[in-house]
Amino acid sequence: MIGDGNTVTVGGHHVHNTHVVTAATTPYENSDRPVYLDRLNSVSRGRLEHRRLGAGLSPEQVARTLTERVQVPRQLGELSAGDYRLLVGPLGSGKSDIAEEWFRSRIEDAAKNPAAPVPVWLPVREVDGKISDFIVGEVGLDVLPGLGVDVVVDGLDERTDEAATALRQASEFAARWPKSRIILTSRLQEKVTERVVPVPTLSRTSADRLMRLVAGYRIGHLGRHLEDAIERRSSPCW
C-alpha cells in the first residue's frame, strides 16, 4: 500500500482517503476553546474602555462605569437561532455598548456550554468582501453546521455604500446556517422595516446611577435645561 495526499493505492487500486486531517488555519481552530474565549473577553473589555476614554472619561471614571452592565433589549436577548436584528440609534446612544453586552453574554454562554455557538465580533470597516468569508476566516467552516456562531456586525453606517449588501448577506447567512444569530448596529435604519430594534431610552433611575458612577458621588439638581436633556437622553454617550 502506498499513499499520496488524499489518495492511497491498495493492491493497484486508487482509494480516496476520507479521513485526512487538515491543519488548523483559523484563530478558533488554532486555540483551545477556553483560550479563544478568554481572548475575546479581553478584547471586548478593551473596546469598552476605549469608547469611554475616547469620550473624555478618566481611567478612574472608566473603571467605575464598567461596574454597571448595560441593559440588553428583550428583542436581542431572546433572538432565536437562524435570525438577525438591526440595532438602531443616533450617534452616542450606546448601540455598540448594547451589542457588546450581548456579545459578552454569548462569551459567557460559550464558556459554560461547549455546544454553544462561537461568538464573533466583526467591525464593518474590516469587511472586505462577504461577511461569511470573514466569519469562516475567524472560526473555520466546520463550526457553522455543528455549533453555529453568534455574530455582531458593528458600525454599519460607517460603510453606507455596503450597508444594504451587508444586511442581505446577514439574512442569507442566518438562513443558510440556522444555528447562528447576527446583530448589526447602525445609526440609520437602512430602509429596513422588519427586524429593527431601536436603542431603548434609559429610565431616570438608570440615568442617575450612571451620572453617579461617572462623577463618583451623587448628583443633585442640575437645573431645568440639563434635567430636560437627561430625560431625552437615550443611553450613555460614549
Side-chain angles (χ1 to χ4, degrees):
M1 180 177 72
I2 58 175
D4 181 18
N6 292 340
T7 303
V8 295
T9 302
V10 181
H13 299 282
H14 294 296
V15 179
H16 290 285
N17 181 8
T18 59
H19 301 287
V20 174
V21 178
T22 58
T25 58
T26 71
Y28 179 75
E29 293 170 323
N30 281 325
S31 302
D32 291 335
R33 183 176 170 102
V35 173
Y36 178 81
L37 295 175
D38 283 346
R39 182 180 66 81
L40 290 188
N41 197 52
S42 176
V43 173
S44 174
R45 172 86 179 194
R47 286 192 296 262
L48 289 169
E49 293 174 348
H50 179 74
R51 291 188 199 108
R52 287 156 173 75
L53 291 170
L57 272 64
S58 69
E60 293 77 15
Q61 290 172 322
V62 169
R64 287 198 298 269
T65 60
L66 288 178
T67 64
E68 182 80 6
R69 298 195 70 160
V70 176
Q71 184 176 359
V72 175
R74 177 183 55 80
Q75 302 98 309
L76 302 185
E78 298 177 359
L79 181 60
S80 299
D83 209 348
Y84 71 97
R85 291 291 184 273
L86 177 64
L87 179 64
V88 176
L91 178 66
S93 62
K95 299 180 299 297
S96 293
D97 267 19
I98 291 173
E100 198 84 63
E101 179 63 25
W102 183 85
F103 184 73
R104 292 173 72 81
S105 295
R106 304 290 73 77
I107 295 174
E108 293 172 1
D109 290 347
K112 296 174 184 175
N113 180 8
V118 180
V120 176
W121 183 276
L122 197 171
V124 77
R125 61 182 175 274
E126 294 184 11
V127 177
D128 185 16
K130 295 182 178 180
I131 289 176
S132 58
D133 291 344
F134 182 99
I135 295 170
V136 171
E138 179 68 17
V139 302
L141 186 61
D142 291 344
V143 163
L144 301 182
L147 300 176
V149 286
D150 283 333
V151 182
V152 172
V153 181
D154 189 40
L156 205 59
D157 49 273
E158 296 178 18
R159 292 282 301 273
T160 55
D161 57 323
E162 299 290 340
T165 299
L167 282 165
R168 176 179 54 78
Q169 290 178 3
S171 174
E172 292 173 349
F173 185 91
R176 181 176 182 183
W177 306 109
K179 292 186 178 182
S180 300
R181 297 175 289 187
I182 300 181
I183 289 176
L184 309 98
T185 72
S186 179
R187 277 183 277 173
L188 308 173
Q189 194 161 325
E190 309 296 352
K191 299 181 180 179
V192 178
T193 57
E194 297 180 348
R195 294 182 170 85
V196 175
V197 179
V199 171
T201 301
L202 282 178
S203 68
R204 181 53 195 263
T205 300
S206 296
D208 286 343
R209 187 163 56 248
L210 283 173
M211 288 190 295
R212 186 171 67 251
L213 288 170
V214 171
Y217 54 84
R218 186 178 182 279
I219 303 295
H221 185 69
L222 297 173
R224 181 172 60 83
H225 294 296
L226 286 177
E227 294 286 343
D228 289 345
I230 291 170
E231 293 295 336
R232 293 193 300 269
R233 192 69 234 166
S234 295
S235 282
C237 53
W238 43 63

